[in-house]
Amino acid sequence: MDHAGLTMVEVRRARADEIAACAALYERVLRETFTWDPPGRHSAADFLAHALDEEVYLARNGDRLLGIAGFHRPSAFLHSLYVETRGAGVGKALLDHVASVAGAPLSLKCLSPNLRAQDFYLREGFRIVDVGRDPGAAHTWLRMSR
């Protein structure tokens, strides 16, 4: 795939020896982009705990990890999709790949302050189907499906 200056983006299921690097990317991106949360709120350990029950996909350009996606197959739920290189098609490549292997319509939750992600998912054909708030959570979430 050619994406805006990225010569070659490979998207595939992460191997066991790559999960720690995926978790580190998860933590970096959340700390950088989820500015409404305290920086210590997000940790690689959170990703690793979820990865036990999820399929993890990654996008790379050579040796450079560009993004990750966590997919819970039994519920066809896209639990996470995070990229370090935004605006270059990496998120779309990951989303398209997960959708192609899902075998069912995808759903996801997006926090209400995450306007950039909401715009991305709406552009990609997702629709808001529910709004809620987890107990003790500061923000509502939007459940989206496609």
Side-chain angles (χ1 to χ4, degrees):
M1 264 176 232
D2 188 275
H3 292 285
L6 298 175
T7 53
M8 198 61 191
V9 174
E10 173 191 18
V11 178
R12 62 171 170 76
R13 184 125 180 222
R15 296 185 310 261
D17 65 338
E18 296 170 315
I19 299 297
C22 293
L25 181 142
Y26 165 90
E27 182 176 303
R28 281 192 311 273
V29 171
L30 280 174
R31 287 181 180 203
E32 174 189 321
T33 59
F34 280 40
T35 56
W36 54 87
D37 283 335
R41 161 80 175 75
H42 305 287
S43 72
D46 295 336
F47 182 85
L48 293 171
H50 290 293
L52 297 173
D53 297 321
E54 296 177 353
E55 297 171 16
V56 176
Y57 293 89
L58 57 76
R60 327 183 53 90
N61 181 351
D63 288 337
R64 185 168 166 230
L65 182 60
L66 304 172
I68 51 113
F71 175 62
H72 185 255
R73 183 171 292 279
S75 57
F77 184 73
L78 181 65
H79 184 244
S80 58
L81 192 152
Y82 299 104
V83 300
E84 285 195 295
T85 306
R86 287 173 287 286
V90 175
K92 180 172 174 29
L94 277 163
L95 179 61
D96 289 349
H97 185 81
V98 171
S100 75
V101 300
L106 289 177
S107 70
L108 58 93
K109 283 183 181 176
C110 186
L111 289 175
S112 57
N114 198 347
L115 300 177
R116 188 175 187 142
Q118 289 173 43
D119 289 346
F120 168 73
Y121 291 120
L122 290 170
R123 266 194 326 272
E124 292 303 317
F126 283 79
R127 294 294 167 252
I128 299 167
V129 296
D130 194 15
V131 178
R133 183 185 306 259
D134 293 332
H139 301 286
T140 58
W141 47 254
L142 310 172
R143 181 176 292 276
M144 305 175 91
S145 67
R146 170 179 92 172

